[in-house]
Each structure stands twice: as C-alpha cells, then as structure tokens.
Amino acid sequence: MPSKESNQPATTRAARLIFEYEGERVRLVSQQVVEMVVTGFDIARAHHAGVYVDARDAEDRTLSRVPARDAFATSTEVFPERAGEAIVRVDTARPKGAFTVVIPVPQETNKVAVVRVVPAQLDAKLPAGGTTSRVAGAAEATDLATFPLTLN
Amino acid sequence: MSTADGAVIGTTQIAGSAPRNRAFNVVLLAEGFTAAQQNDFNNACMTFVNTFRTTPPFDELSAAINVFRVNVRSTDTGADDPVAAGGTGATVRTYFDASFGGNNIRRLLICNTTTALQVAAAQVPEFIVVLLVVNSTIYGGSGGSVGTYSLAGGATEIAIHEMGHTAFGLADEYPYYAGGNETGHDHHPAGEPGEPNVTTNSNRNTLKWRWAVASTTAIPTMANPNCSQVDGRPNPVPTGTVGLFEGAHYYHCGAYRPEYDCKMRALSVPFCRICRQVIWNRIGPLATLSARARTPISVIARFPEHLDVFAVASDGRTVSNWWDQSSGWAGWFNLMGGIASPGGPGSPVTAVHRYAGHIDLFTVGTDNRVWSAWWDAATGWHSWFQIGDLVCRQGSVINVVSRYSDHIDLFTTASDGRVMSTWWDVRSGWAPWFHVQGGVAASGAPVTVVARYPFHLDLFTVGTDNRVWSCWWDERSGWHGWFQIGNLQCRPDSTVTVVSRFPDQLDLFTTAADGRIMSIWWNSRKGWANWFHVSGGVASPGSPVTAIARYSGHLDLFVIGTDNRIYSTWWHENQSWAGWFNVSGGVGMPGGQVAAISRATEHLDLFTVGSDGLVYSTWWDGATGWAGWFALGVT
C-alpha cells in the first residue's frame, strides 16, 4: 500500500528470563531485554492448567502472561533406537533443571512471577438446542515465586 | 566437566534470512567437539537443517525460520557414559557436561541446561528453540527446555519431536507411559488436557479438532476393546484420516489422538494434521497476511485496550489477529481450519462480543452453510459448528447483533435471496432459520441490522428492485412488514450501513447505482428525511461505506474511492459534512472495505486490504492526528 508515511508500530519491549528449579524451588538466573516479537501463540489468553510467567506492575496487576512449558517436569522421555519401538517416559526423582521464557514487559513492569494455574471447573452441561459456550468457573492461580525486574 | 573445559568459538547463521526479531530461530550448540572436530559439528548441523526443513509443515514455513550454529570447543570428545547405566564408563571434559545414562537409562542424554540456555541467549538472544548436538555415535537424546541428540542415525528425529513440546505445546500421543506393560495407565483421568492434540472428549459436536473431521468419519474412529493393554491393531482408515483414535497421552483408554499416527506418537512418521496446524499457528503469525482481495474485515474492542481483528486469507482460510496495549499485535493465526465461502468479496468472519470475556464468530463456509465458533477467556477457542441447514448465497455475509449478553440474532440471505434469520438464547439454544417477512435481497446485497434498544431491531437491505428496504421487530408487537426508504436506486450489491447515534436516531449510508455515496436519516420526531449525496463522494464499484459514531453528535465515514484511495469525511452536530480527504496516503483494493472502530472517544483504528494484498492498519488520535498505514502482523 503506497503511503505518505510508514509507521510500523514499535515492537513491544520483551525480556528473556532464565530460571533454574529444583523441586518447587525456583530462582531467576538471568534477565535481559530482547528485541523480538512475542506472537499471540505464546501470550496466554485462556487459563489452561500449567505453569506460567507473569509480568506485573507495582500494584501486582498482571500485564502479560506466557506459558513456561518445560518448567518443573516430573518425567522425561526416552527414545527408542530402532524405528517402530516405543517412546517411553520415566519419572524424575526430583525435578531439577532450567527453563526460559520471552515475555512482553511494558514499561510499568516491575516484577515477574512464576505461577501455577489449576484448571477451571467447567459446567459440562450444554443447553438443549446447542449453545455458543459452556459456563466456566474461575481458574485458580498460585504464585510459586516473584522476582523484581531490573532491566535497564 | 564445566565451562572451564572449553570455550564458545562463535555463531553462524546456516539457514534462513528472516529478520531475527520476527523469526522462528533455532540454535544448535556443539557439545563434545574438540577444536579440530568443528567441521564434524558443522556437517551435523547441515544434516539437521536438511531434515528439519523438509519435514512438513516446516517445509512450507521456511521463510520465517532461521537456524544458527554455535561452535563450542570442548577439551574432550563425546559425553560421559556411566557404567551404572550400561555405558563404557567414559568420563570426558566437555563444555555443557553432557552425559548418557540419565535416570540410569543409557539412551537418556542429559546436559547442564542452565549453561546451554545462557550460551544460546548470549549468542542469539532471539532464539526460540535450543538443541545440543552431542559428538557421539551412541544413540541418545532427551527433551525439555534444551533438546539433546547424538550423531547416531535417526537422532535428529528426537530433536523435532521435542520441538513439538517445547516450541508448540504439543502433547505426547503415545498410549502408554513405559511401553505398554505398566500398571495404572488403563484409563485416562477425568478432565480435558490443555494441549491441542489430545482429548478426553468423544463428542463429535464439541471435539476440539472437529473442523478437521469429515462427516463420513466414524467417531470414535478406533476404540480400544481391552483397556488393560495398548491397542496394537492396524489403522482401520486410510492414512491421514483425522478422527478420534483411542489411546493417547500415556493412557490405553479414555484419551484420544487425532490420527492413527503422528510424530508426537512415534519417531520417523509425519506430524498429524492437527499438529501441523498448531505448528503453522506458531510460525505463521510471524509473517504479514496476504488477504482475500476484498475481504471485509471485522474488528471488535472487548475493552478499550484490546482489539480482535478477523479476516480471510488469500487461500480462503479464516484468520485472526489481536492487539493488546500491553503486548502489541499478536500475529495472524488460523481459526481452526475454517475456510470461508468465495463469491463477491467473499464471506467475511463476523464477530460479536456478548461480554468482555467472550467472542462469537460467524461465517459462510465453502458448503454455503452458516458456521460458528467461539472463544472464551476461560477455555480458549472452540471449533466451528454448523448452525441449522440453511443454504446461503455464495459469499453471503452473516450480520449479527447481541441485544443483551445471553442473546444473539443472525441475519443473512439464502441461496434464492430470501432474507433469513435465526437467534440463540442461553435458555433455549439455537432457533430454526426463518424467512423475515417475505423479504428478498438483490444479488450480493447483505442484510444489515441495528438494535436501538434491547427489545427492538431494524433491518436494512437492497431489494430486487435495487431500492433500499427496511423492516423492524419489536418485542411487544413482533415483526413488521418491509417498507421502501425513499426512491434511491442502488447498486444491487450495495451495503446499507446503519448507525444509531442515540436510540431514537438512525443514519443510513449506501452507494447509488452510479457509485455516489448517499445518506438518509430517521428520527422519532421527524420520521425519514430524503436521500442526499455526501460531500460529492463516489465510491469504488462495490465498496461499502463504513460509518462510525464516536459520540452522539459526530459521524466519521470511510470508503475506497474511484481511484482506489482510502477516503474519509465527517459530520459534526450543527455543521455540514466536511470534504472527503485521503487517509494518510492509503490505497486499497478496488471494491474493498475499510473497517473502523472507536475503542475510545478520541481514537479510531482502521483496517483494510492494501493494493498489494496485505492487511494494513492505521489510527487517528485526537491528540496526534492520523498515523501512517502499517502492514498488520506481529509487533
């Protein structure tokens, strides 16, 4: 589209965070500003069960939330050497490892939180004749840890 | 056996040319390669690239994928190989401390994930996936935040499977935990998994991937007759059939996968249709959208700091993008495989928000049936379902109004032009389609609707005589017959745009047969006025007039002009109409539409398909005026 001026909106500021965990204990190992987009795929809008990282302001309001898909894994996969054999899972005695997320951090962000969300309680009954939606209860989120954001 | 046992040499981009800040960046780290063995690592990386970029759907998405290799030298070769796990007992000095024998299983190849993530972040801060390539021919690998794999044959498949978890949130589809002989995995626990490729729901009508299931495919497609063991029978349907196959997510029964086989079930097989769609929706949004040429764009603001936009891609796929003040534009993603009907400008995706945490969508599919889908803040997107069996005109528009939060009214045109309606109410569900007062619309004319009150509807369309017609419904008196508004002769495919600035006022806008932009108004005190030409404006043939009332004494209009430029004018109470002006130099598609929304009184957001086929946006703010147009993608 020819335009008298080009005005691509600025990319929202994002931060890469690296966490280490052992059991339910988690610590923030590093935080850095990163110039990259975070697509809607990685910005949690629905409240599915799982572990998430929140960016929050001074009043503890959540500004953005992204999933931490590899956090606190209690099992790991073992792969077969020959095609056709089964992939199996083995329990991890004590979850230990690291994970990373890239999260939008608007200027008012002053902390990040690692959050565990348990599923919403759904009313599975659908009205006769169809519906556009089921009625959902509220998902429950519990903070596992919070850390100050000290990006420049 | 730490970072003291080597050093990072440097980083090289080995595939892709997408801008790093909007690409799917994969980083390969060298582990157990000495300084003299770096060429071996380079070759291993190219092997990975060749496998990765020819694996569907990555083969179609390579324009948005970059691959980097990070050369790291280690003091020694390979990885630790503990005797306790059946290994040789080798202990080597390597940078990332890789070791076979995790959990006493030799094939489980682990490393110091913190070091791997930190090195990747330092070398390619924009990385999405990091994989550790271990210099050993012993077979091994593992998943998690850092995928590992060795140089043994076929180990790159591990990396791609693990990417399914790490980057795309896909579940394992295999129906066992420990190979099938375990206990406690006969029946999946209650509850629906959050991952998109497994389900406990066997109801065809609410199945989350029902958009991909043919009506002729049995549901369930394959049921396990003996839940004490894995169902080892062969596939009963042709390869690639999407259905419901019992046995998934580590359980023999009670959980289902979309296809018989998938890379999330077994290595060396393709991703299933559903997983491919998920991957597409992770990488595709990094690009701009090539839209259907004249696709009408729908936009809603569930609250002032948020926009949801809906359009149709050039291949007919229904797509969406959203903007939030805190995170910017999310990027275009496909709406559950939906394909909108072509014809005219093509069926749009119409959206309504009955309340802030809910979106309902409507479109006419390629079967010319009416389809709907919804999004809820608590549960995410729910797949398309058909509303009744009405056969619409090809390319018909579904217009929707929500008079209150538990109610929706739909209006469209049947294949023979009849004006049709249905409604949904939370208490009774969907009503059958009915013909509205015998009305028949001209070919290509949509039916527009406004609810001035929760108990009142006004409909407008262009009739087969190319005149503007209206009828109304009131809760107390029901439907009233159609009546002609003035004697204006329209284009047969003209849209009658209606705005109610306050409950007892209607303003209509449409295009005359010669393209002149015409308006008329009604109010409860004076009745209908006469049609008048708005500031001499003429629209591109087929372009509808978009009207918006930011407040009760003000109107803004937008249209594509005969020179295909995007024009606007405004009316302010007690003043005459302003002259038309070109909005920020914008040029649209011939016959295209300009979507507009005001999420705050002194703010407008516009959307259109540009002359190059991409979707563009701009905004006006009372404090700063008009911004320039920008290609709408991800920010």
Side-chain angles (χ1 to χ4, degrees), chain B residues 514-539:
Chain B
D514 57 3
R516 286 175 302 141
I517 296 165
M518 305 297 291
S519 179
I520 195 170
W521 51 265
W522 169 92
N523 67 43
S524 58
R525 287 174 288 115
K526 298 179 180 176
W528 287 100
N530 295 314
W531 287 100
F532 64 94
H533 188 186
V534 181
S535 289
V538 181

Side-chain angles (χ1 to χ4, degrees), chain A residues 57-144:
Chain A
D57 66 11
E59 278 72 50
D60 227 25
R61 286 183 295 237
T62 296
L63 304 172
S64 59
R65 171 175 286 186
V66 295
R69 299 194 179 94
D70 300 302
F72 308 106
T74 56
S75 66
T76 191
E77 284 183 296
V78 182
F79 295 91
E81 193 160 352
R82 284 174 289 277
E85 292 183 353
I87 305 171
V88 299
R89 278 207 167 257
V90 293
D91 292 336
T92 307
R94 182 169 173 77
K96 181 181 178 182
F99 62 92
T100 185
V101 297
V102 175
I103 185 169
V105 282
Q107 289 297 336
E108 57 268 40
T109 307
N110 86 333
K111 64 171 83 70
V112 293
V114 181
V115 180
R116 187 184 295 282
V117 174
V118 296
Q121 297 300 310
L122 292 181
D123 174 3
K125 290 183 179 177
L126 302 177
T131 182
T132 70
S133 68
R134 286 184 278 194
V135 179
E140 291 180 19
T142 306
D143 286 2
L144 300 178

